[in-house]
């Protein structure tokens, strides 16, 4: 709840306190990492996610979290690489793919972003957020007159 309210210091304190009594709890460790990302402490966040990945190399959520930390630190290539790893580990997670498409679009990789959005829409054709992002991409790239399925 503290993260959602933007109270990152409170969340970090709470996660640290809980981790003292449950040091192997991966969900708490992930939560701490995301709170650090929210606060903008990217170095600490990356170190936190690195620890999770070292102990659980197939932790897709840790790669996703580290991708968010890299993105906040403006290390876009590292962010994309970690998102690709998260997607490879958990290909059914639509959030990872949607964020990957958003980052590709921001980097000017419009064809890549378009393909990712269309793949997401093929799986979840009623996802209005993905539709809106694809439509926005179409307008930005001068393809706004095309239908969503063909942009």
């Amino acid at each position: 709840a503290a993260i959602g309210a933007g109270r990152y210091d409170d969340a970090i304190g709470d996660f640290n306190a809980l981790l003292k009594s449950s040091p192997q709890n991966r969900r708490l460790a992930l939560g701490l990492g995301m709170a650090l990302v929210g606060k903008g402490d990217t170095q600490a966040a990356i170190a936190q996610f690195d620890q999770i990945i070292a102990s659980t190399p197939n932790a897709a959520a840790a790669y996703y979290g580290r991708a968010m930390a890299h993105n906040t630190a403006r290390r876009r290539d590292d962010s994309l690489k970690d998102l690709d790893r998260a997607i490879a580990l958990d290909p059914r997670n639509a959030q990872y793919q949607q964020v990957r498409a958003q980052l590709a679009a921001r980097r000017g990789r419009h064809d890549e972003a378009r393909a990712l959005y269309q793949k997401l829409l093929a799986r979840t054709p009623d996802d209005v957020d993905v539709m809106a992002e694809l439509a926005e991409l179409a307008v930005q790239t001068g393809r706004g007159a095309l239908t969503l399925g063909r942009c």
Side-chain angles (χ1 to χ4, degrees):
I3 291 177
R7 297 187 343 255
Y8 300 111
D9 287 328
D10 291 343
I12 291 166
D14 291 346
F15 281 120
N16 279 322
L18 291 167
L19 280 164
K20 284 182 182 172
S21 62
S22 298
Q24 301 303 316
N25 187 314
R26 193 175 81 194
R27 291 188 78 172
L28 294 174
L30 288 166
L32 174 60
M34 292 311 291
L36 291 164
V37 171
K39 182 180 178 180
D41 191 348
T42 57
Q43 285 185 322
I46 290 168
Q48 178 67 22
F49 293 120
D50 284 347
Q51 286 180 352
I52 298 167
I53 292 166
S55 66
T56 313
N58 63 346
Y63 284 98
Y64 174 79
R66 192 170 70 179
M68 297 300 90
H70 283 307
N71 188 58
T72 300
R74 301 190 189 285
R75 290 195 287 266
R76 307 295 191 229
D77 289 339
D78 290 336
S79 181
L80 293 173
K81 184 171 35 168
D82 276 344
L83 273 170
D84 288 342
R85 182 70 178 135
I87 291 167
L89 290 168
D90 188 2
R92 299 185 68 153
N93 188 310
Q95 178 181 354
Y96 299 166
Q97 294 178 30
Q98 186 173 358
V99 170
R100 179 67 169 82
Q102 292 165 351
L103 294 180
R106 285 186 202 130
R107 300 234 21 224
R109 298 177 177 182
H110 300 131
D111 290 340
E112 179 182 342
R114 187 175 299 106
L116 288 166
Y117 284 132
Q118 289 174 334
K119 182 178 175 182
L120 281 166
L121 281 176
R123 281 189 23 214
T124 55
D126 295 329
D127 189 325
V128 294
D129 292 330
V130 173
M131 282 188 247
E133 290 174 19
L134 181 57
E136 182 180 334
L137 178 64
V139 170
Q140 289 173 354
T141 59
R143 299 177 80 174
L146 299 176
T147 64
L148 280 178
R150 304 182 86 173
C151 28

